């Protein structure tokens, strides 16, 4: 329009940084999502404010909030930037070589069973995709934490998330180190576990103990075992069993290597328990980025089973 001055030049990356910071109201979280440092985000925001000659954020040592001008700009920019992101995602989907970094949050157990064995093959097939993996047992908000995808047992996720099964339903077995039985008799029935030191596991810090449930001639049997040590991580349960501290009830797939080498041996072979399958979960999107689609499809195919 005549008489209206042209808008000041602001580079598109600066606007994307502003949108991320406005969405999180936290420069550190915005930096994690974008793969940069909080200092870089702060510097970019200052540059955008200088270019527009307007203050966009109110900053204190404890909080970040949008100014009136910042809120107005964010409301106008968000749909436009979303359209740009979708267009770029579509372009990536149309290429034979998706690229970028896939940020994955997973429990260690899920990573070791389902991801680690197939990483080398994934990199061979997708040389332009990098994978950043964070291992923990907390089922957190992966979007706010800057992750593209999470891996957990079960499929109880938020309404705006998609969950797809990865691999088969997981089988639990009873194991112990051979040395544990040097001065003890091996249990022959489920009830005889009550005479032994059993290594317990909590679902997370402060969470409830995992139940020892077995299938016995078509019936579900639960036993309240006792033990002197409790962990909130299955790899620690596995290590303690290897060291002869007691009997463990762990995922069969997680102990494959230790069983094959004889570090552990399976006991009560006629009894086992069942957990849910692991699931990949990620935000519901109209267009999934090519890098994420490649990771999801590859890992599901690599862990495909004959079970439905």
């Amino acid at each position: 329009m005549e008489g209206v001055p042209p808008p000041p030049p602001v580079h598109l990356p600066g606007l994307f940084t502003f949108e991320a910071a406005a969405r999180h109201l936290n420069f550190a979280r915005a930096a994690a999502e974008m793969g940069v440092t909080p200092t870089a985000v702060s510097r970019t925001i200052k540059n955008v404010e200088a270019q527009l000659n307007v203050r966009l954020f109110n900053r204190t040592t404890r909080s970040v909030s949008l100014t009136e001008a910042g809120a107005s700009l964010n409301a106008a920019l968000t749909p436009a930037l979303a359209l740009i992101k979708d267009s770029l995602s579509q372009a990536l989907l149309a290429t034979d070589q998706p690229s970028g970094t896939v940020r994955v949050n997973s429990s260690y157990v899920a990573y070791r069973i389902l991801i680690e064995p197939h990483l080398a093959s994934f990199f061979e097939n997708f040389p332009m995709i990098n994978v950043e993996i964070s291992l923990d047992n907390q089922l957190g908000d992966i979007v706010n934490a800057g992750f593209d995808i999470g891996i957990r047992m079960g499929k109880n996720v938020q309404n705006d998330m998609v969950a797809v099964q990865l691999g088969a339903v997981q089988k639990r077995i009873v194991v112990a180190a051979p040395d544990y039985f040097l001065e003890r008799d091996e249990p022959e029935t489920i009830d005889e576990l009550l005479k032994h030191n059993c290594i317990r596991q909590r679902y997370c810090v402060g969470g409830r103990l995992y139940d020892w449930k077995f299938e016995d001639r078509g019936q579900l049997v639960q036993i309240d075992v006792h033990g002197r040590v409790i962990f909130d991580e299955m790899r620690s349960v596995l290590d303690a069993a290897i060291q002869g501290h007691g009997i463990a009830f762990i995922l069969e797939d997680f102990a494959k290597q230790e069983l094959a080498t004889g570090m552990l041996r399976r006991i009560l072979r006629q009894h086992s328990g069942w957990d849910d399958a692991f699931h990949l979960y990620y935000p519901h999107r109209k267009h999934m980025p090519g890098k994420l689609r490649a990771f999801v499809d590859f890992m599901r195919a690599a862990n495909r089973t004959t079970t439905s």
Side-chain angles (χ1 to χ4, degrees):
M1 295 176 58
E2 186 176 351
V4 177
V10 179
H11 295 300
L12 189 60
L15 297 179
F16 276 115
T17 301
F18 164 76
E19 186 276 334
R23 177 160 35 86
H24 291 290
L25 291 179
N26 183 297
F27 285 8
R29 290 179 180 173
E33 177 182 316
M34 303 187 70
V36 298
T37 64
T39 301
V41 169
S42 179
R43 186 184 305 116
T44 300
I45 295 299
K46 288 181 180 178
N47 290 338
V48 172
E49 289 177 328
Q51 291 164 345
L52 295 175
N53 194 29
V54 64
R55 189 173 184 82
L56 301 174
F57 291 93
N58 293 313
R59 309 172 184 82
T60 69
T61 56
R62 295 185 178 181
S63 66
V64 174
S65 62
L66 287 166
T67 64
E68 183 177 352
S72 177
L73 177 62
N74 186 50
L77 272 181
T78 297
L81 293 179
L83 181 60
I84 292 173
K85 289 179 180 179
D86 282 346
S87 299
L88 292 174
S89 295
Q90 284 285 65
L92 285 174
L93 284 170
T95 67
D96 292 330
Q97 290 292 331
S99 62
T101 298
V102 177
R103 294 179 174 85
V104 181
N105 181 264
S106 173
S107 67
Y108 177 80
V109 174
Y111 166 74
R112 174 168 164 174
I113 294 174
L114 301 167
I115 304 301
E116 185 181 50
H118 309 296
L119 264 185
S121 181
F122 177 79
F123 289 139
E124 289 178 6
N125 282 271
F126 299 98
M128 298 178 67
I129 297 180
N130 300 320
V131 180
E132 179 180 330
I133 299 174
S134 175
L135 301 176
D136 67 61
N137 286 329
Q138 304 300 316
L139 185 61
D141 187 337
I142 63 169
V143 175
N144 281 336
F147 296 104
D148 298 300
I149 194 166
I151 307 173
R152 288 295 184 275
M153 184 167 283
K155 55 181 178 182
N156 295 322
V157 296
Q158 298 170 344
N159 290 334
D160 58 346
M161 304 294 285
V162 177
V164 294
Q165 185 169 326
L166 183 64
V169 171
Q170 293 294 318
K171 179 181 180 181
R172 286 222 180 207
I173 61 173
V174 184
V175 300
D179 287 351
Y180 177 76
F181 295 111
L182 291 179
E183 299 179 358
R184 304 173 181 88
D185 293 330
E186 185 173 320
E188 297 182 356
T189 66
I190 294 175
D191 288 340
E192 289 182 9
L193 288 171
L194 294 173
K195 303 175 183 178
H196 289 268
N197 187 35
C198 294
I199 305 166
R200 303 300 303 272
Q201 181 183 352
R202 293 192 186 277
Y203 281 97
C204 59
V205 177
R208 69 182 181 88
L209 290 168
Y210 183 85
D211 296 325
W212 287 44
K213 295 179 180 179
F214 301 89
E215 285 188 7
D216 184 15
R217 289 169 289 191
Q219 299 295 318
L220 183 64
V221 176
Q222 180 174 335
I223 184 169
D224 188 16
V225 297
H226 306 286
R228 301 183 63 190
V229 62
I230 300 172
F231 296 99
D232 64 356
E233 229 320 328
M234 191 179 292
R235 58 178 152 180
S236 298
V237 174
L238 181 71
D239 289 342
I242 292 171
Q243 294 165 18
H245 294 313
I247 296 174
F249 191 39
I250 58 178
L251 299 183
E252 183 177 35
D253 285 345
F254 187 61
K256 275 184 177 180
Q257 181 177 340
E258 290 74 15
L259 291 167
T261 59
M263 298 173 71
L264 293 174
R265 77 166 183 250
R266 183 177 176 183
I267 58 177
L268 293 175
R269 285 184 165 273
Q270 68 275 32
H271 300 294
S272 59
W274 297 93
D275 273 345
D276 200 344
F278 286 101
H279 286 72
L280 296 165
Y281 64 101
Y282 47 88
H284 177 75
R285 294 171 178 170
K286 185 177 180 181
H287 302 297
M288 185 185 291
K291 63 181 182 179
L292 185 55
R293 171 57 66 193
F295 185 85
V296 170
D297 289 348
F298 182 90
M299 290 302 170
R300 292 194 74 193
N303 290 284
R304 185 162 292 144
T305 68
T306 56
T307 58
S308 57

